[in-house]
Amino acid sequence: MVYFFSYLIYFYASALTLVYLTLMIMSYYNTLRYRYRYSKKEEDYLKKFPDEAPGISIVAPAFNEEVIIVDSVHSLLHLDYPNFEVIIVNDGSKDETLPLLIANFELEEVPYYYVYKVHCKPVTRILRSTNPDYSKLVVVDKINGGTKADAMNAGVNVAQYDYFINTDVDCILAEDTLTKIILPVLDSEEQVIAVGATMRMVNGCTIENGRVTRAKPPNALIPLFQETEYLRSYLVAKMGWSMINAIPNVSGGFGLFETNVVIGAGGFDSGSHAEDMDMTVRMIAYMRENRKPYRIVQCPYTCCWTEGPPNISVLNRQRTRWGRGMLQFMIDHRRFLFNKDYGRLGFLVMPYILFFEFLAPIIEFAGLLFLLFLLFTNQINFDTFWMMLLYAYLIGFAVSVITISYDLILGKLYKNFSEYLKLVLFSAFEAILYHPLVVVFTLRGYLQYLTRRDFKWGKMTRKGFSQTNHANTVSDVEKI
């Protein structure tokens, strides 16, 4: 039994290493191809010929977001794109979120025949601005649905354009985001049903008027580790999978979706704790079942900045929530696993999620318990143990360093080389200080899902976007 488990761990680690090496190679090639395919010339074309730019609806749910709501809406309204609208879904906020919107953007209720194309809790009213400067803004006021998915559906029902952005009000979008995210749609011969992009930590950045004017790595330890983790996820994993049209999910923090495909697939599942992964997979299934060719594309450029967990307590809530979502996702969509009718989804995407995302924390924790057993029973060969440990550590560290170098390929986002060096140095401690916490919190999420069904989202610390607001403010938010 000891030898069997030892070989199991060895072959699993080797397979994971092989997968990441393959993704790094594919990502490198795909990043270079993307960079030279979509240049400033293509972006300027849409500015010169605005009629060629497809309309985009930006849907951002808000629940008790009084700290950041005004800055967030100003930021969204000033994106550099000729044809878009901003839909803020007030999901039954109990604080000053809606009054602040009404006062700052001169909103008033307008007559509107609301059509429930996808299910959501009842909408009580639609508000628009009397000020022409805010003509792109639509506010949907609805009864709280308990999840972001329900609020997203309310926004999708109102969206007037063929494409919509799924984002959060605590996110800051780069000024050229909409141009960058729509180019793969215009360029593809096949129907592009979704486009993702790189997300980064806004913690530590300089922000003026809802814009990131100076990108800097976070100062706090948890967001700093998560910055490197996000870069690995977007620049290596998703860019690699994008090359073969097998992206596992488009992030719920930021992503472009084709409106009619989302509606055809039934909209976001308000009962899901992983609505982004759930929606992506159901869109793929919808296209496969209707025998329609499709593509899901990943844009390597940083289009979205989000506020990362400032401490271990908030990280715990975030990762247990993700853990609940992962287990629910695997149970709800097990029918796709190794199902030949769903092509890449059945034989590539779902097996990857099962073996290298869902099972990873279970195997890691079991491996730690097995190591302790071997230690107490004096069965460890220390001549080879340290070599294997160093090998595993260096593989992980090398992936992080290579990922950071990919960001340099795309253009130097940080101004100083020392800031990149900071990411490299702290990534050396990620496996020791950060990753074990992620494993424990994820397993806690699995256990929570198995033992109870009624979850409360609790508190989330918000600092807001204003540089003059340094005090932490606690607000109720739903982040699913």
Side-chain angles (χ1 to χ4, degrees):
M1 184 65 182
V2 169
Y3 286 107
F4 170 78
F5 199 79
S6 298
Y7 280 112
L8 178 65
I9 296 294
Y10 171 77
F11 284 115
Y12 180 83
S14 299
L16 184 60
T17 301
L18 181 62
V19 167
Y20 260 96
L21 288 174
T22 304
L23 287 174
M24 280 193 295
I25 294 170
M26 292 194 299
S27 172
Y28 178 76
Y29 176 77
N30 199 25
T31 299
L32 289 178
R33 184 176 65 173
Y34 197 102
R35 180 186 176 188
Y36 291 113
R37 185 163 191 154
Y38 306 115
S39 63
K40 194 73 168 57
K41 180 181 178 181
E42 283 75 23
E43 294 181 24
D44 290 340
Y45 175 82
L46 291 180
K47 296 178 183 178
K48 293 178 182 178
F49 303 97
D51 292 340
E52 300 293 324
I56 301 174
S57 301
I58 302 172
V59 182
F63 176 71
N64 289 2
E65 297 282 11
E66 61 181 11
V67 178
I68 59 174
I69 191 63
V70 174
D71 287 337
S72 175
V73 173
H74 276 299
S75 174
L76 293 175
L77 288 173
H78 288 89
L79 295 176
D80 186 14
Y81 190 75
N83 193 15
F84 72 98
E85 64 177 348
V86 176
I87 301 173
I88 302 297
V89 182
N90 178 52
D91 196 24
S93 297
K94 300 175 183 178
D95 64 354
E96 293 299 304
T97 297
L98 186 58
L100 283 171
L101 285 171
I102 292 172
N104 284 272
F105 299 100
E106 304 170 44
L107 301 177
E108 66 176 19
E109 185 176 354
V110 296
Y112 191 90
Y113 182 69
Y114 190 87
V115 179
Y116 289 85
K117 303 169 191 174
V118 289
H119 175 75
C120 68
K121 290 289 186 179
V123 169
T124 56
R125 53 180 172 165
I126 305 292
L127 301 100
R128 301 199 69 129
S129 179
T130 57
N131 188 334
D133 292 340
Y134 306 131
S135 60
K136 295 180 183 294
L137 177 62
V138 180
V139 174
V140 179
D141 188 24
K142 66 181 287 289
I143 295 173
N144 182 262
T147 64
K148 179 188 173 184
D150 189 82
M152 280 301 304
N153 282 343
V156 170
N157 287 332
V158 172
Q160 63 172 310
Y161 294 125
D162 292 336
Y163 301 93
F164 72 90
I165 297 285
N166 171 17
T167 189
D168 299 312
V169 293
D170 66 329
C171 293
I172 297 178
L173 304 188
E175 195 170 1
D176 59 352
T177 286
L178 300 186
T179 302
K180 278 186 162 58
I181 208 76
I182 202 66
L183 285 177
V185 176
L186 298 175
D187 183 54
S188 178
E189 295 180 358
E190 289 184 317
Q191 182 179 357
V192 175
I193 62 174
V195 183
T198 300
M199 293 179 64
R200 303 283 281 270
M201 295 292 103
V202 75
N203 310 58
C205 295
T206 302
I207 303 166
E208 296 176 3
N209 300 320
R211 287 279 172 270
V212 176
T213 57
R214 171 72 164 87
K216 291 182 286 187
N219 294 316
L221 203 58
I222 298 299
L224 185 61
F225 285 139
Q226 200 161 59
E227 173 83 345
T228 307
E229 183 186 30
Y230 269 39
L231 287 176
R232 279 199 308 271
S233 174
Y234 292 108
L235 292 184
V236 173
K238 291 186 179 181
M239 278 304 294
W241 288 123
S242 177
M243 184 175 174
I244 56 175
N245 194 27
I247 292 180
N249 79 300
V250 176
S251 173
F254 177 82
L256 176 83
F257 297 85
E258 185 174 342
T259 307
N260 287 333
V261 175
V262 169
I263 293 172
F268 292 87
D269 182 0
S270 58
S272 174
H273 296 279
E275 93 286 340
D276 52 352
M277 189 179 294
D278 174 84
M279 188 72 259
T280 304
V281 167
R282 285 194 293 111
M283 289 174 70
I284 295 172
Y286 171 80
M287 298 299 287
R288 291 285 304 184
E289 289 164 0
N290 287 277
R291 302 184 183 279
K292 296 179 180 179
Y294 70 92
R295 283 198 63 81
I296 297 179
V297 181
Q298 178 70 16
C299 168
Y301 293 104
T302 300
C303 292
C304 180
W305 302 84
T306 187
E307 190 175 354
N311 52 52
I312 293 177
S313 177
V314 179
L315 178 70
N316 178 17
R317 290 197 292 272
Q318 181 193 66
R319 293 313 167 102
T320 53
R321 183 176 65 249
W322 292 6
R324 293 195 300 265
M326 175 62 73
L327 179 53
Q328 181 190 36
F329 172 85
M330 292 308 304
I331 293 173
D332 289 350
H333 298 299
R334 61 188 182 278
R335 68 185 180 93
F336 297 132
L337 190 63
F338 300 116
N339 189 327
K340 61 181 179 59
D341 294 333
Y342 293 95
R344 293 184 186 92
L345 176 62
F347 284 94
L348 194 59
V349 174
M350 290 299 293
Y352 168 78
I353 294 173
L354 172 64
F355 292 114
F356 298 114
E357 292 193 9
F358 171 67
L359 289 178
I362 298 175
I363 292 175
E364 288 184 54
F365 188 72
L368 176 61
L369 295 179
F370 181 65
L371 177 63
L372 293 175
F373 168 76
L374 294 180
L375 184 64
F376 282 114
T377 56
N378 198 28
Q379 297 185 63
I380 293 181
N381 183 351
F382 285 99
D383 293 334
T384 58
F385 170 76
W386 296 114
M387 291 180 59
M388 292 297 296
L389 187 64
L390 183 63
Y391 166 76
Y393 170 80
L394 289 177
I395 287 291
F397 179 60
V399 171
S400 296
V401 173
I402 292 171
T403 300
I404 294 168
S405 72
Y406 285 2
D407 189 57
L408 291 170
I409 294 174
L410 291 167
K412 198 175 177 183
L413 190 61
Y414 296 146
K415 187 176 294 185
N416 301 322
F417 180 76
S418 60
E419 293 172 336
Y420 282 100
L421 185 61
K422 179 180 179 180
L423 280 186
V424 171
L425 291 176
F426 276 89
S427 65
F429 299 97
E430 183 183 351
I432 304 168
L433 301 177
Y434 177 75
H435 187 69
L437 295 175
V438 172
V439 171
V440 171
F441 296 155
T442 302
L443 291 175
R444 183 170 178 262
Y446 291 174
L447 185 62
Q448 281 187 358
Y449 185 79
L450 291 173
T451 54
R452 59 191 176 95
R453 297 280 174 170
D454 184 24
F455 304 108
K456 295 181 179 179
W457 303 114
K459 304 283 185 180
M460 174 73 175
T461 302
R462 291 278 192 246
K463 290 188 176 181
F465 297 148
S466 173
Q467 295 298 304
T468 59
N469 180 10
H470 296 291
N472 289 350
T473 305
V474 177
S475 61
D476 294 312
V477 295
E478 54 183 44
K479 296 282 288 176
I480 179 173

